[in-house]
Amino acid sequence: MSDFLMAILTIATFGFGAIVSGGVLTVFVCVGLIPRFAQETNTANRLITYENAVILGTIAGCIGTVFFDELVKCGGFGAGIGNVVLVVFGFFSGIFEGCVALAIAEMLDSIPIFTKRIGFKKGLTLLVCAIGIGKALGSFLYFYFGL
């Protein structure tokens, strides 16, 4: 790829990442995810740090997705480093997806309403953990074995 096209792609990727990060931050603020993290960790004085982390993480994710092959080549790493990067990225993406899903479910009060309707009285924590473990196991089976 020519240097000119690479420069255009870099500028476009950064711009699109900035736009997407604005949308992601808006959703997080609307569902109350960032204030909830700050409240649960007793770090409300660092709310701006959380917001900046979301913005920078989204931009880094966009750049990493578009330029993954070039980033691996520039680092001088062997072919095996790509799998390590994918595992780490997948781990943090799963945490991200789970937090967003639980924040939306909590905002809509879907879990308390569901448990009340089916008469579920004890073991709600175990149920939520089982859902998370099942999702992680299903993702692993799908991506590792192609099932």
Side-chain angles (χ1 to χ4, degrees):
M1 185 179 298
S2 73
D3 290 340
F4 177 72
L5 289 177
M6 187 65 87
I8 295 295
L9 191 56
T10 302
I11 293 168
T13 301
F14 186 80
F16 296 145
I19 292 169
V20 169
S21 67
V24 169
L25 184 62
T26 302
V27 169
F28 282 0
V29 169
C30 287
V31 299
L33 186 64
I34 293 174
R36 178 76 175 186
F37 280 154
Q39 176 187 1
E40 291 295 323
T41 58
N42 295 323
T43 56
N45 58 339
R46 299 181 186 210
L47 198 58
I48 300 297
T49 304
Y50 283 109
E51 293 173 355
N52 289 337
V54 169
I55 291 169
L56 293 175
T58 307
I59 291 172
C62 289
I63 291 172
T65 302
V66 172
F67 295 110
F68 180 75
D69 292 334
E70 285 78 11
L71 291 173
V72 172
K73 289 178 193 173
C74 289
F77 301 116
I81 195 68
N83 292 334
V84 173
V85 170
L86 286 177
V87 167
V88 171
F89 181 76
F91 177 75
F92 286 110
S93 296
I95 292 172
F96 170 79
E97 181 182 330
C99 287
V100 170
L102 285 175
I104 292 171
E106 185 177 320
M107 183 184 80
L108 298 175
D109 291 331
S110 61
I111 293 175
I113 291 170
F114 176 71
T115 56
K116 185 178 179 182
R117 291 224 174 141
I118 66 170
F120 197 77
K121 303 241 188 271
K122 294 183 180 180
L124 182 60
T125 304
L126 185 62
L127 175 68
V128 171
C129 289
I131 291 170
I133 291 169
K135 183 164 181 52
L137 182 62
S139 296
F140 174 76
L141 292 173
Y142 177 78
F143 287 111
Y144 191 76
F145 295 111
L147 297 176

